[in-house]
Amino acid sequence: RETDVLSFPMWEESDPDSVAYLGDIILCPKVIFSQAASFGTTFRQEMCLMAIHSTLHLLGWDHMEEDEKQEMT
């Protein structure tokens, strides 16, 4: 199934200071373009939001719990 963004961290949560490189972010412009239209944002705005969202994941943020979900929104 297609998705808007994927994050692949390069460090272990137990030692986040071990490397300066956080990981990889893969954006899917096709999905993000479609999302932008449905959310009422521009393609550029949505790309920026997805890059920020994915970076937060690489920094250890999550949205599995409702309180964490609200913080990331």
Side-chain angles (χ1 to χ4, degrees), residues 42-58:
T42 66
F43 173 70
R44 184 178 185 155
Q45 289 171 321
E46 199 63 26
M47 286 286 281
C48 289
L49 289 170
M50 291 298 99
I52 291 166
H53 181 90
S54 192
T55 300
L56 289 173
H57 278 301
L58 293 178

Side-chain angles (χ1 to χ4, degrees), residues 19-38:
V19 295
Y21 177 65
L22 294 176
D24 295 318
I25 296 173
I26 313 256
L27 300 166
C28 181
K30 178 180 154 187
V31 173
I32 293 172
F33 183 82
S34 177
Q35 278 182 183
S38 64

Side-chain angles (χ1 to χ4, degrees), residues 2-22:
E2 292 178 331
T3 189
D4 49 8
V5 64
L6 295 171
S7 304
F8 299 97
M10 295 298 290
W11 53 271
E12 295 294 326
E13 286 188 41
S14 61
D15 189 13
D17 296 325
S18 63
V19 295
Y21 177 65
L22 294 176

